Amino acid sequence: MLQGTFGQRFIFSPHKKALFILGIICILSTFRVSAQINVVYNQFFLNPYLYNPAYAGVEGHSVFFALYRQQWLNIQDAPAISNVNFHTPLKGGVGLGIMAFNESIGPLNTTWGKVSASYLVTVDRTHYLRFGLSVGGGTNTLDLGEIDSPTDPAFVNIAENSTYMIGDFGATYHSGHFNVGVSIPNLITYDAISTETMSPIRVSPLDNIMFKANYRGHLSDDVAIEPHVIYRYSDVGEDMYEGTLIFHLKHLIWAGATYRQDNNIIGLLGIKVAETFAVGYSYEMGNSNISNALGATHEVHIGWHLGSKKKHASHASSFIKSHRLSAEERARKAELERERKLAELRDSRPEGAEAVDPDALTIVPVAAAIIEQPNVERVNDFGEREKALVANVVLSDGPRNVVTWVPADTPSERWDLAASGRYRERTAMDGSKEVALLLTRTINGQPQQVVKWQGIDYDQELPEESAEVASQNTNDINPTAPVVGAAAATAAAVAAATDTEPEPAPLTVEEDRVDPDLTQDFRSIEELAASDEPLEVRKGTHLLELEEGNYVIAGSFEVFDNAERYSDRLFQRGYHDAKVGYVSARGYYYVVLFESDNVEAAQREKSRIKQRPGYEGIWVLKVNN
C-alpha cells in the first residue's frame, strides 16, 4: 500500500506507471476539493498561514512566502506542489491574506486561490486571540492525451466537476511565545465518491479538523528551542499526528526534525538574513516500506518581510524574528547600556585626561556605612527646605564623614541613605575627591535608587542636631507644609553630580494650551486620572505627533528631554513599550506606557497598571485622524 500526498491509500507497482497515474487520478476525482484539506507541508512553521487563516497578518509586517515541493523523485510525473502567498496586518486589528496553489500529478493539474481576513482580539498586554476566514475557488484540468481510457468514470467525474468553491476557518490563542490554534480546512459541504464503494458520500465541514500548538523557549539570547505538535482529525479518512523540534542558533540558522505518523524522520535546515529573509529546506524519505521505490521528497520554502514593522500591529509573532526581544527592544536596551557606560567613563575621567584611557578611568571601590543621622534641616538660597544625610566612608586615605543635603521630607517624598555596601571614589577634574552615595528616593510609596557624587570637604564638621530650621528665610515658609517642587528645584544640581540622573517628575497641572479645533475635552490631569472615559483628540501635525490609536499615558511634560528621560526610566522598570509622543490638541509631550488599536484593551491595561504604587495618575488617550 502507498500513502499519497492526500493521505489516501492505493495499490502501486513500480513497473506499471499507468496504474500509478490511474490510482492518483481516482483519488483526486473522489476528493476534488481535498487538495486544500489534507495537503501536507514540511515547513509549515515558517508560515503557519498555510494551515490557518487566523495567522494572516501575524508577522507584524507585510510578508511574502513561496514554497515548492517535489514528491517521490524516483517516480516520473509524481506530485509537485507550488504555493505562493502574501499577508499583512491592517489597522483596527484586521489582517489580510491571499494565497495561490498549484499541484500537478501526471496529466492532472489542480489550481486554486483564496483570500483571507483575520481579526485580532486583545485580551490584555500578553494574551491575544485571532480569528480568520478564507473564501476562494479552484479548478481541475486533465490532459486526456495522456490517458489510455478517457471514458473511465473517474475521468468523467473530474470533467463534470472541474471547478469548485473552497473556504476555511481558524482561531488561535497567543500568550508570549506560546500559541495554539484550531482550523477547519473546508467550510463548504461537498459530495465525494468513495474509493472503496465508488458510491457518493457527503463530506461536511466538521469531518476534517486540524489542531496545532507550539512554543519557543529561549535557552539564552542566542539559542532557542521550538517544539510543534499537529493533530489532524478526519471522520472520512485516517487521523494523523506529527511532532517537530527546531533549534534556533544565533537566530541565523535553524535545524530540526519532524516525525509524522507512518513516515520516517524528516530533516529540516534553514538560514535567516537580517531578520528579514529566510530560506528553508526539508528532506523526507517517507514510509520506510516504500521509500526505496519512491525516492525522497524535497521541499524549499522562502519567506521575506517587506518593509518595516507596522506600527499599528499591536501583536506580532514571527519565525523569522525569533529573538527573545524585538529588534526595537534590543536596540533600546543596547543604547541605554551604551549611554550608561559613556556616562561612567566621562564622570570618572581624571584631571587632564582628554582621551578615553581605560587604565586612567578606574573607579576605586570604597566601603561606606550609615551613621546616626542628625535631625538637621536648613533652608537653602532658593528658599527650599533641605535635610542632612551623613555617611561614614572609608576612603583610600582613611575614614571620612560625608554630608549631603537633600530635599526635606514631605507627605509624598522622602530621601534616605540606602543600606551600607560598596561605593565608589573618584578624582574630579579639579583634583578634589568625590564619593558615590547610594540614596533611596521614595515618591508616593514607590522607592527608587539614585547615585549622588558628593565632594569631600575635609574641614567639614557634622551638623548639630536641631529641632528648627535655621535660616533667615524661615518666616517665608511653613516648615510643616509640603514643599512643592523641592525635588525639582534641586534636580539640576543633583544631576550635575551624579551618574544616575534623578527621574523628572511628570506635571500634575497643565497650563491651558488646548486647541479647540483638535479637541473639545478640557479636563485636567486629575480629572482624567479619575475617569473611565478617555481623552479624545484629533491628530495634529507635530513632528512627534502620536498616531491614530489608544494610549495609556504615564505623564505629561513641557520639555521633550524630560519626557524622554522619564520614558527611559520606565523602560528600565520593565515597560519596554514606553515612548514619547506629542499631542498638539493639548500642547504637551506625553509618555506612553501602552498602545493599542482597541480602546477597551487600553482601558484594561490602565486598570491593571493603576493598581501598582506610584501609577495612580495614569489615564487613557484616544487619538483620531
Side-chain angles (χ1 to χ4, degrees), residues 358-378:
D359 295 330
L361 298 179
T362 302
I363 298 175
V364 180
V366 298
I370 300 174
I371 66 173
E372 184 177 352
Q373 180 176 315
N375 183 20
V376 175
E377 291 189 357
R378 73 179 185 183

Side-chain angles (χ1 to χ4, degrees), residues 306-317:
L306 308 174
S308 59
K309 182 180 181 295
K310 304 294 185 182
K311 292 182 179 180
H312 53 260
S314 56
H315 169 250
S317 176

Side-chain angles (χ1 to χ4, degrees), residues 13 25 31 146 200 228 230 241 244 252 278 283 335 433-434 439 442 447 452 484-485 500 526 578 580 602:
S13 171
I25 292 175
F31 288 88
E146 296 189 18
H228 293 254
I230 288 180
Y241 63 85
T244 298
L252 299 174
Y283 180 84
E335 178 62 21
K433 288 187 178 295
E434 295 178 327
L439 310 179
T442 305
K452 181 178 181 181
V484 178
T500 302
E526 183 178 354
V580 176

Side-chain angles (χ1 to χ4, degrees), residues 21 60 75 101 156 162 176 192 287 295 316 342 409 416 420 432 463 471 494 530:
I21 296 175
I75 304 300
F101 171 93
V156 174
S162 60
N287 190 297
L342 286 176
D409 295 340
D416 296 286
S420 60
S432 63
S471 170
V494 174

Side-chain angles (χ1 to χ4, degrees), residues 370-555:
I370 300 174
I371 66 173
E372 184 177 352
Q373 180 176 315
N375 183 20
V376 175
E377 291 189 357
R378 73 179 185 183
V379 175
N380 63 21
D381 294 338
F382 301 98
E384 298 161 340
R385 287 195 305 137
E386 294 180 325
K387 71 174 182 179
L389 298 179
V390 183
N392 181 261
V393 180
V394 181
L395 301 177
S396 56
D397 58 355
R400 301 289 173 186
N401 290 321
V402 179
V403 180
T404 187
W405 293 92
V406 296
D409 295 340
T410 70
S412 61
E413 181 180 17
R414 177 183 176 87
W415 288 77
D416 296 286
L417 284 166
S420 60
R422 301 290 291 180
Y423 297 104
R424 293 177 293 176
E425 171 191 341
R426 70 181 181 188
T427 302
M429 293 295 185
D430 60 0
S432 63
K433 288 187 178 295
E434 295 178 327
V435 65
L437 297 179
L438 185 61
L439 310 179
T440 299
R441 181 189 184 193
T442 305
I443 301 177
N444 294 324
Q446 183 71 27
Q448 52 189 271
Q449 290 189 334
V450 177
V451 177
K452 181 178 181 181
W453 286 99
Q454 179 65 50
I456 305 300
D457 184 354
Y458 291 94
D459 298 326
Q460 184 181 38
E461 297 180 359
L462 290 179
E464 296 180 0
E465 183 174 352
S466 63
E468 298 181 356
V469 176
S471 170
Q472 69 275 16
N473 297 321
T474 53
N475 295 329
D476 297 333
I477 64 172
N478 180 358
T480 62
V483 183
V484 178
T490 59
V494 174
T498 66
D499 63 353
T500 302
E501 297 178 347
E503 179 180 295
L507 295 174
T508 56
V509 178
E510 293 181 348
E511 295 182 13
D512 186 6
R513 301 179 182 178
V514 176
D515 185 341
D517 292 332
L518 297 178
T519 184
Q520 291 296 315
D521 194 333
F522 301 92
R523 285 177 292 171
S524 67
I525 293 177
E526 183 178 354
E527 291 171 326
L528 291 170
S531 174
D532 291 330
E533 294 296 323
L535 168 64
E536 195 160 350
V537 302
R538 289 176 52 203
K539 179 184 173 183
T541 58
H542 192 276
L543 180 64
L544 297 179
E545 194 79 23
L546 287 175
E547 299 290 338
E548 179 183 11
N550 304 279
Y551 303 88
V552 176
I553 303 300

Side-chain angles (χ1 to χ4, degrees), residues 188-193 199-205 207 235-236:
I188 301 174
T189 299
Y190 61 94
D191 292 322
I193 306 297
S199 59
I201 60 173
R202 176 62 57 94
V203 180
S204 301
D207 287 339
D235 194 44
V236 294

